């Protein structure tokens, strides 16, 4: 706030005085423009009138989130859901109770002082509400043969800020850098703390164990249950033997089918007592069947 005065000249004329010249202007400040709070706790958004000559300035609070602006405090009343969980403190500051992740936004404190030369001032407060991670979803293969690749996954999407991930085997943390720990120098794996992915490029028997993952951020952490991963030897001899047995069975089946065809088991045969098929007869000739042994005798007929 500055007040401009006039000084008297040597000949009795007045002239503006540079010293002691102050403008009447409302001015705001804050004790914390970037407050951070955990979800469900209370927070104060500080807005302090540093100077003004207006005895009763107008106070407004607005919320800006995802490009949309809405009123928090307007016409001396809390607006929307803030009516039951927010209040004005020390004339201008805003207190939000039971904060949620949706309260993360920019809040603007605006003060209108009609009696000041500069009648309006504003200040922005960036509020961050931290959210604890939920139990991450972990995926661990149950059994992997020696020398094969194994991928383990861990992820959760509720925490804010985003979680980082760490893996444990038999309750011991796996180092992101295998060379930094003698216990894991024989392991060929890569661990990404950002994505929560653990990849064994070539597992060996020592990688067998109970695996779990912890998701962590500034608000807290959460852990998934342990899952067993077994690394087993591949029985090459057994696999070859099984293949040979299958081939031998197929060969025997093929030979059996061939022998059956050669012996006529699959040929079309007529059962005994099957009636004879009457042969075709030439025009003008009739055959009469006798009762003796089914013979036929010839009978001529003439067509006139």
């Amino acid at each position: 706030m500055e007040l401009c005065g006039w000084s008297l000249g040597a000949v009795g004329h007045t002239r503006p005085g540079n010293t002691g010249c102050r403008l009447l202007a409302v001015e705001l400040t804050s004790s914390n423009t970037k407050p951070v709070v955990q979800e469900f706790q209370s927070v104060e958004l500080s807005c302090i009138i540093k100077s003004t000559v207006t005895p009763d300035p107008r106070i407004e609070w607005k919320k800006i989130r995802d490009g949309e602006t809405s009123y928090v405090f307007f016409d001396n009343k809390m607006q929307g859901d803030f009516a039951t969980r927010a209040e004005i403190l020390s004339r201008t500051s805003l207190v939000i109770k039971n904060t949620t992740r949706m309260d993360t936004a920019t809040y603007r404190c605006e003060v209108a002082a009609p009696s000041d030369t500069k009648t309006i001032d504003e200040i922005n407060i960036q509020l961050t509400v931290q959210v604890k991670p939920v139990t991450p979803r972990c995926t661990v293969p149950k059994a992997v043969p020696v020398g094969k690749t194994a991928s383990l996954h861990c992820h959760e999407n509720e925490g804010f800020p985003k979680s980082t991930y760490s893996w444990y085997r038999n309750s011991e943390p796996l180092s992101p850098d295998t060379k930094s720990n003698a216990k894991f120098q024989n392991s060929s794996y890569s661990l990404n703390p950002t994505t929560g992915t653990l990849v064994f490029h070539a597992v060996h028997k020592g990688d067998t164990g109970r695996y779990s993952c912890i998701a962590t951020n500034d608000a807290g952490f959460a852990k998934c249950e342990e899952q067993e991963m077994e690394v087993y030897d591949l029985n090459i001899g057994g696999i070859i033997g099984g293949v040979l047995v299958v081939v031998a069975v197929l060969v025997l089946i093929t030979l059996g089918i061939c022998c059956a065809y050669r012996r006529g088991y699959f040929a079309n045969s007529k059962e005994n007592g099957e009636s004879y098929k009457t042969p075709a007869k030439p025009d003008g000739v009739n055959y009469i069947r006798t009762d003796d042994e089914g013979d036929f005798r010839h009978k001529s007929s003439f067509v006139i």
Side-chain angles (χ1 to χ4, degrees):
M1 176 181 69
E2 295 186 355
L3 180 62
C4 286
W6 292 80
S7 61
L8 185 63
V11 292
H13 297 289
T14 59
R15 64 170 181 260
N18 292 329
T19 61
C21 179
R22 296 185 299 171
L23 294 175
L24 301 176
V26 61
E27 185 178 357
L28 301 180
T29 186
S30 175
S31 61
N32 185 5
T33 58
K34 295 182 179 181
V36 177
V37 65
Q38 291 193 13
E39 192 175 27
F40 308 125
Q41 294 183 350
S42 298
V43 63
E44 177 184 346
L45 307 186
S46 171
C47 179
I48 302 169
I49 299 178
K50 187 176 180 179
S51 62
T52 185
V53 295
T54 302
D56 190 18
R58 188 178 75 250
I59 312 298
E60 292 181 1
W61 276 93
K62 296 177 182 178
K63 175 182 178 180
I64 305 169
R65 179 183 171 91
D66 298 331
E68 297 183 0
T69 302
S70 58
Y71 278 108
V72 176
F73 182 76
F74 177 74
D75 196 19
N76 290 324
K77 293 184 297 184
M78 290 294 172
Q79 305 295 314
D81 69 321
F82 291 100
T84 58
R85 61 186 187 93
E87 62 183 4
I88 295 297
L89 179 68
S90 300
R91 190 183 184 187
T92 51
S93 294
L94 176 67
V95 175
I96 302 176
K97 304 174 183 178
N98 194 27
T99 56
T100 69
R101 66 191 69 194
M102 297 303 296
D103 292 330
T104 295
T106 298
Y107 292 81
R108 179 177 296 160
C109 175
E110 298 180 358
V111 175
S115 300
D116 291 49
T117 304
K118 179 188 175 185
T119 59
I120 297 176
D121 196 17
E122 63 184 34
I123 189 169
N124 290 332
I125 310 297
Q126 179 63 53
L127 173 62
T128 300
V129 180
Q130 297 178 340
V131 182
K132 293 180 180 180
V134 297
T135 301
R137 180 179 178 182
C138 299
T139 305
V140 179
K142 294 184 179 299
V144 185
V146 170
K148 297 295 182 180
T149 300
S151 297
L152 289 70
H153 302 278
C154 176
H155 184 70
E156 70 85 32
N157 54 10
E158 295 294 328
F160 184 84
K162 290 184 178 181
S163 297
T164 57
Y165 303 92
S166 54
W167 278 94
Y168 292 76
R169 181 173 65 206
N170 300 329
S171 300
E172 292 188 12
L174 293 177
S175 174
D177 183 10
T178 57
K179 297 180 180 179
S180 64
N181 194 322
K183 291 183 178 180
F184 308 112
Q185 288 181 355
N186 294 328
S187 296
S188 60
Y189 69 80
S190 59
L191 197 163
N192 190 324
T194 303
T195 63
T197 302
L198 172 63
V199 179
F200 290 92
H201 304 288
V203 295
H204 59 82
K205 295 290 287 184
D207 294 325
T208 295
R210 301 183 308 277
Y211 287 83
S212 61
C213 170
I214 294 181
T216 307
N217 67 6
D218 294 338
F221 65 92
K223 179 182 178 181
C224 69
E225 294 184 359
E226 289 184 335
Q227 299 182 43
E228 183 79 21
M229 184 178 78
E230 179 188 359
V231 179
Y232 61 91
D233 291 319
L234 211 57
N235 190 352
I236 303 299
I239 295 176
I240 295 176
V243 171
L244 293 177
V245 169
V246 172
V247 171
V249 171
L250 292 177
V251 170
L252 291 175
I253 293 175
T254 303
L255 292 175
I257 293 174
C258 291
C259 291
Y261 267 113
R262 289 180 179 179
R263 297 193 177 188
Y265 289 111
F266 293 98
N268 292 327
S269 60
K270 299 181 180 180
E271 297 180 358
N272 292 332
E274 185 179 0
S275 60
Y276 289 94
K277 184 176 182 180
T278 304
K281 58 182 179 178
D283 293 341
V285 179
N286 292 330
Y287 291 95
I288 301 176
R289 185 175 181 178
T290 63
D291 294 333
D292 298 333
E293 298 179 357
D295 292 332
F296 293 87
R297 61 188 173 92
H298 180 265
K299 178 181 178 182
S300 298
S301 63
F302 296 92
V303 179
I304 299 176

